[in-house]
Every structure is written in structure tokens, then in C-alpha cells.
């Protein structure tokens, strides 16, 4: 096998493995929030409120993975750090969506929380686009094969969703 094929298989294998880990961890977080999640007088993340985890943390994880793939494809030396940073921005938006509920209760905080959830979805799309246009300070290597990175991004997305669903059958959030 050629070195290029081996590198592509390693990239795709990493995408599958990390997709499985991401899907399972998001399911575990959803279970924990559904069971023990935050709540106050007029609002709760328990039960159906735990859907904020997959609908908030899921897009944050996808943003981080896609940014990592885009910057790796472009040859960035710090592609892992940029992917992690993008994921943390999405996670901060999710955590930020809880703060208005805690501070203002359900009546005052629901609109702000909903707006921040939509901001997370926007970040999921915007972050990889920004990564495609920012200039690198240091290039690790020349631009990689784009097709393999696109396939890896698709595989990560599909595998993480399937892993979330499959682990939900074992550790259902409502159980």
C-alpha cells in the first residue's frame, strides 16, 4: 500500500473512532442531565429538558471536529488546538444559555436561552467556514487531499449520530 493510502485510512479510522467516542459521551451527558440536571422553581433540564445536551453539545462537537479537519487539510501546525477551541466556543454558548434561566427564571431567560441555542447551530456552520479562510501562521505541511477530509467529516458526523442513538438504547436518558 502506498503511504498516501495508509494516511487516508488512518484519517478515516480516527474519524470513526472519535465519532464513536463523541456519540457515547454526548449520550452519557444527556443521561446525567436528564437524571440529575439543573432545575429551579419554574424550569428544569431534567427529562425532556436534557435535549439541550444533544442539540447544544452535539453541534459544538461537530463544529470542533469540522474545524480540526478543515485546518488539518489546509496544513495548519495547530489544527488540533483550533478544533478544540471551536468546540469550546460552542460549549461556552451552551453553558451561556443556562445562565439566563438561572438568573431570570423561565419567563425572563427562555428567549435568551433559545437565542443562544440558535447561535450554537450558527457557530456549527460558521466555524468551519472561518477556518477555511483564515491565514495560517505556521504551515506544518502542504495542503492535504481535500476529498479524504470531506469523507472523514461526513463519517465523523454519521458515526457520532449513530453512536449516540445506539448508546441511547443501552443508557436511555429517560431511564
Amino acid at each position: 500500500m502506498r503511504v498516501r493510502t495508509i494516511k487516508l485510512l488512518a484519517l478515516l479510522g480516527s474519524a470513526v473512532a472519535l465519532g464513536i467516542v463523541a456519540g457515547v459521551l454526548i449520550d452519557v451527558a444527556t443521561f446525567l442531565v436528564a437524571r440529575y440536571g439543573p432545575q429551579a422553581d419554574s424550569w428544569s433540564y431534567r427529562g425532556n429538558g436534557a435535549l439541550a445536551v444533544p442539540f447544544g453539545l452535539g453541534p459544538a462537537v461537530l463544529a470542533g471536529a469540522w474545524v480540526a479537519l478543515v485546518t488539518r487539510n489546509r496544513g495548519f501546525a495547530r489544527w488540533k488546538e483550533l478544533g478544540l477551541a471551536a468546540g469550546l466556543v460552542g460549549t461556552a454558548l451552551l453553558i451561556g444559555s443556562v445562565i439566563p434561566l438561572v438568573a431570570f427564571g423561565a419567563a425572563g431567560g427562555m428567549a435568551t436561552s433559545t437565542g443562544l441555542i440558535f447561535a450554537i447551530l450558527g457557530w456549527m456552520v460558521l466555524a468551519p467556514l472561518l477556518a477555511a479562510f483564515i491565514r495560517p501562521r505556521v504551515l506544518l505541511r502542504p495542503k492535504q487531499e481535500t476529498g479524504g477530509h470531506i469523507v472523514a467529516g461526513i463519517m465523523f458526523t454519521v458515526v457520532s449520530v449513530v453512536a449516540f442513538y445506539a448508546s441511547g438504547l443501552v443508557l436511555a436518558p429517560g431511564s
Side-chain angles (χ1 to χ4, degrees):
M1 293 180 90
R2 295 185 342 210
V3 172
R4 200 169 174 172
T5 305
I6 293 171
K7 286 184 178 182
L8 177 63
L9 290 175
L11 174 66
L12 297 178
S14 297
V16 169
L18 291 172
I20 291 170
V21 170
V24 169
L25 289 179
I26 291 171
D27 180 62
V28 169
T30 304
F31 172 81
L32 292 173
V33 169
R35 179 70 57 92
Y36 309 108
Q39 69 178 21
D41 297 334
S42 59
W43 61 271
S44 174
Y45 275 100
R46 291 185 180 184
N48 287 341
L51 288 173
V53 175
F55 289 122
L57 191 58
V61 168
L62 288 177
W66 293 343
V67 165
L69 284 167
V70 168
T71 54
R72 182 184 187 278
N73 176 51
R74 293 186 60 216
F76 279 58
R78 301 182 70 182
W79 60 271
K80 292 177 189 174
E81 291 87 351
L82 291 169
L84 181 63
L88 290 175
V89 167
T91 304
L93 288 170
L94 176 62
I95 292 169
S97 71
V98 176
I99 294 171
L101 285 174
V102 172
F104 305 114
M110 190 57 73
T112 305
S113 294
T114 304
L116 285 170
I117 292 292
F118 283 115
I120 296 168
L121 295 174
W123 178 247
M124 178 181 71
V125 174
L126 181 63
L129 290 175
L130 289 174
F133 292 107
I134 58 173
R135 301 179 97 206
R137 289 186 187 176
V138 178
L139 282 176
L140 182 65
R141 59 192 170 274
K143 186 175 178 179
Q144 304 288 306
E145 186 177 312
T146 303
H149 285 79
I150 291 172
V151 172
I154 292 168
M155 288 177 69
F156 178 85
T157 304
V158 170
V159 167
S160 62
V161 169
V162 170
F164 173 76
Y165 176 76
S167 62
L169 295 174
V170 175
L171 185 65
S175 63

